[in-house]
Every structure is written in C-alpha cells, then in structure tokens.
C-alpha cells in the first residue's frame, strides 16, 4: 500500500468514525482517504471537528427524517449546515428513513416520538411525495448536496405499495437526487424480503450512486440485521463488483464502527479489496 | 393506512415495546390506530426494538467483548435486547448515561432474565459476571470507593473478636462454568458451545490496594464464605457461628484465615466490644 496524493481523482476509501478507527488511521498512513463522521456525534462533542487535522471528513446524518412526517427543528438544520461548512464535507449522507413520528392517536397531546435509530418508511407514493416536500425545504438550507442512503428493511412495512428498489427509483426520479448505496442494507433488505440481491441491484439507478457503504450483517431470531461489528460477507463484495459495472462512486466507506475489537487485518484486507475493485472499474 | 399513521405505530412500538404485547393481545387496538393488524409483523418490530437498544450498548463492547461474541454465536443478541427493551419500558427506567451504569443495569437484567436450565443462557450469565467483575475492578474510582482498610492500620492475628477486612477490592461469584473455558471456546472460528461442560467454582476477582492488576482466584467453600463475611465487615466469631462451628473459633478456622491473611486478601482489626459494623 503506497500513500496516495490528495489530488488523485480516483474514488476514495474511508472509514466510519468509531472506536479504534482514528487509531487505525494514525497507524496506517496512506491507507484511509477520509473519515465519515456522524453529525449527531459532532453536535454532541464539537471537539471531534479537530479530526479534520487527521483526515478529510465526510458528514453523515440521521436526524433529518427525510421520509417522515415530523420535520427536524430549525436549530438542528442550522447546526448541520454549520458543521457541513466547518468540516468541508463534499456532501451530507442522510437515511431515506424516519427517526421521528407523531405520537399515537390514542395518546393525544403527547409530543412526537423520537427514536435513536432510523426506521424504514412505508414504501408508497405518499412517502415519495413526502420525501420530495421535505427535501424541497431542506436542500436550500444546506451548503452542500444531500445524498440519500437506502435503509435496511427488516419486515414488511404496512401499507407499502412497492418494493425498496422501486421506491428508491421513484424518489430519485421525483427529487433528482444522488444516492449513498449501503450494500449491506441492500443485502439485508433482499434477504429479509426474499428477492435475489444480484438481480435486484440492477433495478437501482446506479448511475446516481455517489458513495457506497459496506458493513457486516448478522442473522438472529430469523431476521438478518445490520451489524457494524462484524465483517461484510463475500456477497457484499460481489454486489460491489456488480454495482461498479454501471456506477462510478466517488467514495466507499467501510462502516466497522461499533467495536474497537474489529480486527485490523480484516480492515486492511477490506480496504485493499474495495480499492482494487474501485480502481479496476 | 396512511404513511403517517404507520410511522406513528412503528415508532410507538419501538419506543415502548409494551404496546407490542398489547397489540398482539388486542389487534382491534391496532386497527383503531389505522393499521391493519395482519400487515404488521409484531415479533419483527419487537426484534427491531432490541436492535436499537443493542446499538446503544456499543460502548460496552470493549469490556464485554466475549459476552457480545457469545450473544452472537448463541443467537441471543436480539432476543436478550428485545426482552431488555420491554423490561426497561415496564420499569420506566431511563438508559443510564455512563458505560458503568449501563453495564450494571444490563448485568442486573440478565441476572433476572436468564434460565439456569438453558445451557447457553447459563454460559452467558457466567461470562457476563466474569467480564463485569474485571470491568468494575479496573475502574479506579469504583475500586477506591470499596477499599475499607486505612493505610496506617496494621493487621492483627485472627482472634475471635477481630473484624475481618478485605484488602483492596473484590467481587465474589459462584460460577457454573469456568469462564476461561468459555472464552477459549469462543476463540475458535466456529465455537462449539455444547463442548463447554459445567464446572462449578467459586471465584474471587481481586484488586489489591495500590495495584492496577486484577487477579482471579479460585476459592474453596471456606475461603468464599470468609471473604463474603469480610466484605460485610463481620467478626471472626460471627463467621465461625455462621459456618456452624460455634462461637469458640476452632484452631483450624484460624489457620485458614491466616493463610488468607498471608496471601494479602484479608486483614484483621481489633474492634471495641460494642463497635458497630
């Protein structure tokens, strides 16, 4: 592995910020091109912004609820815009999901329910329209483009009228927006809904993919779940190869940010595999 | 079923898993909220609540790396955290702010939750307590708070009226399995949990005063009872009575206590006859 020049135009490979990742960057000069950092952590601990001195930063976000019906606060959006400027992020990746919802109808007067984890929305025309409305309000307030990340789907969402791929196609068409393709989320969705992942991936508008996410997954209690503490299975890299036949992402982020015990040897291997595939495309 | 109604139901169920049980028992309640009960996979939503809670315990993965691996290997990750989410909702308990408090709460929950008759759950209970003992004793502030022995006070001979004191900090656990054997099995590429045979033992996790290292000592029944009594600041005579040996402390008991004293685990202090413990 030889250090790359910062002006090298080839796709970049980065790590999601988490336990052990900064140390890995420090001990592996030239291996990692950027760190992807959650806006929520940056907002909670602004000193993390100093990581910009360690590596370029890409901002990730889980607060905008772009597929939801409860908008984020004005202060949240303003803080996101401030951090986007401060970090110099080229874009903001946000989940095509919701994190807040109105209180249940049988609990009138209660405030909206805000979760700690984004939820796959109803996959319907109604949600597509809502995403369009939300983005129309959000995009002018942000200094860099938003890109949308496909959510993992663990169960059929009531009232859905289409599958995940069709939903993403409609959102991209309706909103003219680029994508953050999380291959592990995509595989989770495929395994949990019974579609062939290698066929289904071709239905996505891959030419709109700007960034790719790779992480692990884990079958428990009969369902495949997202898991950033274990390595991506080979099928995720098969999907990456398939995607790169049509897509030219600018960045690929390895999301192994749940455990400081993630093996550095596996991290090095996955960085190498990702970079090799990206550069060969 | 509008999207907003569905989102409210999903968020309401994840944030308060008690609702999931209510909806399972009374599907009409779900229908009244605008969602067709047949369209909602309640067990999967319960699992999602578990996933969301599990992720909020990522800060413990370092200290509890083997327990998390066991949860995964045994297929218990989602089950444990989904039940934990429900228990937390039942108790109204907010998620603790610190890793130490989250660890304590998780261990307390698993202590209530596990079924000792189910092999993997029994392994989890032993391993979780093992890692928790090491985690707690490696926290300097917590350890210092449990050090009862003033530096200047010297240990006397184990006379019947002497009070027993633990030197440093200890955690005492009666295990059904050897935690080292569980850790060793989990180190295999494909762990065979069925190969871990029960091997009951009494363990003392000990951090001596002024020492950063934690030792794990296997104790016999007497040593375990003596340390438990010492943790409570009891007198040697009381220990002897509790063991059914009478108030006249047998010489053998004193000899065994002197062994623990020589090992540095216990010290003995003279106490006024009516001193409070």
């Amino acid at each position: 592995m030889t250090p790359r020049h910062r002006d090298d135009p080839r796709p970049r490979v980065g790590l999601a910020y988490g336990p052990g990742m900064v140390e890995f960057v420090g001990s592996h000069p030239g291996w990692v091109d950027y760190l992807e950092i959650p806006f929520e952590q940056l907002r909670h601990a602004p000193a993390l912004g100093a990581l910009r001195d360690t590596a370029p930063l890409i901002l990730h976000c889980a607060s905008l609820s772009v597929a939801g019906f409860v908008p984020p606060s004005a202060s949240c959006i303003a803080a996101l815009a401030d951090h986007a400027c401060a970090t110099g992020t080229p874009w903001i990746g946000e989940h095509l999901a919701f994190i807040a919802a109105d209180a249940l109808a049988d609990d009138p007067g209660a405030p909206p329910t805000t979760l700690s984890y984004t939820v796959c929305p109803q996959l319907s025309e109604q949600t597509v329209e809502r995403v369009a409305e939300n983005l129309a309000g959000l995009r002018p307030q942000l200094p860099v483009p938003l890109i949308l990340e496909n959510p993992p789907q663990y169960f059929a969402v009531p009232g859905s009228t289409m599958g995940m791929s069709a939903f993403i196609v409609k959102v991209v068409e309706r909103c003219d927006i680029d994508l953050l393709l999380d291959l592990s989320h995509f595989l989770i969705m495929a395994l949990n809904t019974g579609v062939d992942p290698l066929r289904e991936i071709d239905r996505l508008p891959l030419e709109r993919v700007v960034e790719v996410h790779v992480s692990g997954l884990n079958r428990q209690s009969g369902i495949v779940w997202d898991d950033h503490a274990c390595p991506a299975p080979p099928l995720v890299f098969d999907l990456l190869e398939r995607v790169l036949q049509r897509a030219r992402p600018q960045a690929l982020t390895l999301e192994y940010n749940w455990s400081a015990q993630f093996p550095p040897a596996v991290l090095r291997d996955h960085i190498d595999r990702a970079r090799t595939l990206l550069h060969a495309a | 079923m509008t999207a907003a109604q569905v989102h409210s139901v999903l968020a309401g169920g994840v944030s308060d898993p008690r609702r999931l049980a209510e909806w399972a028992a009374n599907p009409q309640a779900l229908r009244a909220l605008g969602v067709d009960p047949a369209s909602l996979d309640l067990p999967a939503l319960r699992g999602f609540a578990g996933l969301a809670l599990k992720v909020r315990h990522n800060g413990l993965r370092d200290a509890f790396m083997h327990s998390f691996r066991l949860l995964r290997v045994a297929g218990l990750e989602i089950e444990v955290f989904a039940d934990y989410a429900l228990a937390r909702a039942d108790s109204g308990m907010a998620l603790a702010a610190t890793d130490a408090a989250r660890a304590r709460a998780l261990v307390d929950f698993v202590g209530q939750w596990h079924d000792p008759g189910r092999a993997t759950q029994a392994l989890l209970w032993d391993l979780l307590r093992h890692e928790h003992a090491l985690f707690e004793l490696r926290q300097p502030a917590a350890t210092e708070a449990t050090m009862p022995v003033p530096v200047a006070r010297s240990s006397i001979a184990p006379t019947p009226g002497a009070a027993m004191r633990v030197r440093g900090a200890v955690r005492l656990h009666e295990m059904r399995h050897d935690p080292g054997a569980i850790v060793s099995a989990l180190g295999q590429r494909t762990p065979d949990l069925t190969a871990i045979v029960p091997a009951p033992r009494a363990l003392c996790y000990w951090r001596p005063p002024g020492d950063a290292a934690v030792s794990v000592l296997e104790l016999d029944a007497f040593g375990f009872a003596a340390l438990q009594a010492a943790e409570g600041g009891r007198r040697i005579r009381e220990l002897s009575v509790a063991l059914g040996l009478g108030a006249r402390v047998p010489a053998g008991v004193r000899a065994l206590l002197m062994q623990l004293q020589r090992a540095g685990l216990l010290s003995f202090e003279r106490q006024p006859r009516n001193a409070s413990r």
Side-chain angles (χ1 to χ4, degrees):
Chain A
M1 174 67 58
T2 53
R4 53 179 304 192
H5 191 270
R6 61 184 300 163
D7 296 328
D8 187 338
R10 291 178 297 179
R12 290 165 188 272
V13 177
L15 298 178
Y17 171 76
M21 294 300 134
V22 174
E23 291 77 6
F24 182 91
V25 172
S27 61
H28 292 74
W31 279 74
V32 178
D33 301 323
Y34 64 90
L35 282 170
E36 185 174 83
I37 187 158
F39 156 66
E40 294 75 18
Q41 286 191 35
L42 207 46
R43 193 179 187 198
H44 179 68
L48 285 175
L51 286 172
R52 196 179 176 189
D53 298 335
T54 303
L57 299 180
I58 288 181
L59 204 50
H60 196 44
C61 185
S63 297
L64 296 181
S65 228
V66 294
F69 294 81
V70 174
S73 67
S75 62
C76 174
I77 300 169
L80 180 60
D82 287 347
H83 283 298
C85 291
T87 56
T89 186
W91 57 76
I92 299 166
E94 172 61 274
H95 302 258
L96 180 49
F98 69 92
I99 198 157
D102 288 317
L104 287 161
D106 63 4
D107 195 6
T113 307
T114 300
L115 303 172
S116 59
Y117 208 79
T118 55
V119 185
C120 177
Q122 184 189 71
L123 307 176
S124 65
E125 291 284 359
Q126 194 185 7
T127 308
V128 172
E129 285 308 308
R130 185 66 190 189
V131 172
E133 287 171 30
N134 286 339
L135 290 177
L138 288 166
R139 288 161 113 175
Q141 300 183 66
L142 298 171
V144 294
L146 271 178
I147 62 173
L148 295 182
E149 175 178 1
N150 56 307
Q153 189 177 357
Y154 301 116
F155 48 84
V157 181
S160 292
T161 54
M162 61 187 86
M164 179 65 74
S165 301
F167 179 70
I168 291 169
V169 168
K170 283 189 180 289
V171 166
V172 169
E173 285 174 353
R174 177 74 177 77
C175 307
D176 186 22
I177 192 160
D178 287 330
L179 294 174
L180 192 174
L181 175 59
D182 189 310
L183 290 172
S184 303
H185 289 179
F186 184 83
L187 181 55
I188 288 164
M189 176 279 297
L191 295 172
N192 285 333
T193 61
V195 300
D196 178 349
L198 288 169
R199 285 187 180 202
E200 190 72 11
I201 197 93
D202 286 334
R203 299 183 61 199
L204 294 178
L206 297 176
E207 61 284 353
R208 300 301 301 259
V209 174
V210 167
E211 182 184 348
V212 171
H213 272 178
V214 165
S215 66
L217 41 96
N218 179 16
R219 185 181 290 276
Q220 296 265 325
S221 305
I223 294 174
V224 182
W225 305 96
D226 202 12
D227 194 335
H228 297 194
C230 67
L235 189 48
V236 166
F237 285 93
D238 295 344
L239 283 169
L240 177 60
E241 273 194 84
R242 187 73 159 243
V243 166
L244 292 173
Q245 291 173 10
R246 279 172 52 205
R248 290 294 175 269
Q250 297 173 42
L252 183 147
T253 308
L254 295 167
E255 287 189 295
Y256 295 135
N257 56 345
W258 285 5
S259 168
Q261 304 297 328
F262 195 87
V266 176
L267 203 46
R268 284 191 294 270
D269 178 53
H270 284 202
I271 290 171
D272 251 348
R273 287 169 72 180
R275 206 184 289 284
T276 301
L277 290 171
L278 286 166
H279 290 182
Chain B
M1 279 191 288
T2 68
Q5 286 173 321
V6 169
H7 290 190
S8 291
V9 163
L10 297 181
V14 170
S15 68
D16 186 351
R18 289 174 300 180
R19 289 184 176 275
L20 303 177
E22 291 167 13
W23 295 335
N26 178 19
Q28 284 308 315
L30 202 49
R31 197 181 299 283
L33 294 169
V35 172
D36 175 4
S39 69
L40 183 56
D41 184 345
L42 290 171
L45 193 54
R46 173 184 166 279
F48 183 71
L51 173 75
L53 183 58
K54 185 190 80 161
V55 170
R56 300 188 78 181
H57 288 76
N58 279 342
L60 301 181
R61 281 181 177 271
D62 244 8
F64 293 84
M65 60 181 285
H66 300 298
S67 296
F68 272 90
R69 177 151 167 76
L70 176 60
L71 283 167
R72 176 196 304 229
V73 169
L76 289 173
E77 264 185 345
I78 294 299
E79 188 181 337
V80 166
F81 280 98
D83 283 351
Y84 188 28
L86 178 60
R88 286 168 34 79
D90 267 338
S91 69
M93 180 173 50
L95 192 66
T98 66
D99 284 345
R102 284 184 197 190
R104 176 79 263 166
L106 178 62
V107 172
D108 287 348
F109 166 73
V110 173
Q112 302 276 326
W113 171 88
H114 85 287
D115 174 356
R118 297 179 70 173
T120 51
Q121 294 184 15
L123 291 174
L124 175 65
W125 178 230
D126 283 346
L127 189 55
L128 199 58
R129 285 182 298 153
H130 170 74
E131 292 193 300
H132 188 235
L134 296 174
F135 172 70
E136 280 199 322
L137 292 175
R138 286 169 180 158
Q139 310 289 313
T143 306
E144 281 156 16
T146 59
M147 282 183 191
V149 184
V151 175
R153 210 177 283 186
S154 58
S155 186
I156 64 169
T159 56
M164 299 184 291
R165 302 289 187 204
V166 171
R167 294 190 68 251
V170 296
R171 299 291 184 272
L172 299 168
H173 289 302
E174 290 178 285
M175 303 288 194
R176 293 185 184 82
H177 306 85
D178 173 10
I182 307 174
V183 169
S184 176
L186 289 169
Q188 305 299 312
R189 182 175 288 272
T190 310
D192 178 7
L193 300 180
T194 63
I196 305 169
V197 294
R201 61 199 56 218
L203 297 181
C204 170
Y205 298 80
W206 178 42
R207 179 173 160 170
D211 197 337
V214 178
S215 304
V216 184
L217 312 172
E218 190 169 342
L219 300 177
D220 58 18
F222 175 79
F224 196 79
L227 279 160
Q228 277 186 318
E231 276 215 295
R234 300 176 72 178
R235 295 169 195 255
I236 292 173
R237 184 181 294 113
E238 292 172 296
L239 169 67
S240 181
V241 170
L243 292 172
L245 301 172
R248 296 184 60 168
V249 181
V253 167
R254 277 185 275 173
L256 290 167
L257 288 172
M258 286 175 74
Q259 284 183 18
L260 293 171
Q261 186 183 34
R262 279 196 295 273
L265 264 166
L266 288 185
S267 65
F268 309 108
E269 295 171 15
R270 221 173 255 112
Q271 283 216 322
R273 188 173 294 272
N274 56 357
S276 60
R277 281 182 208 139

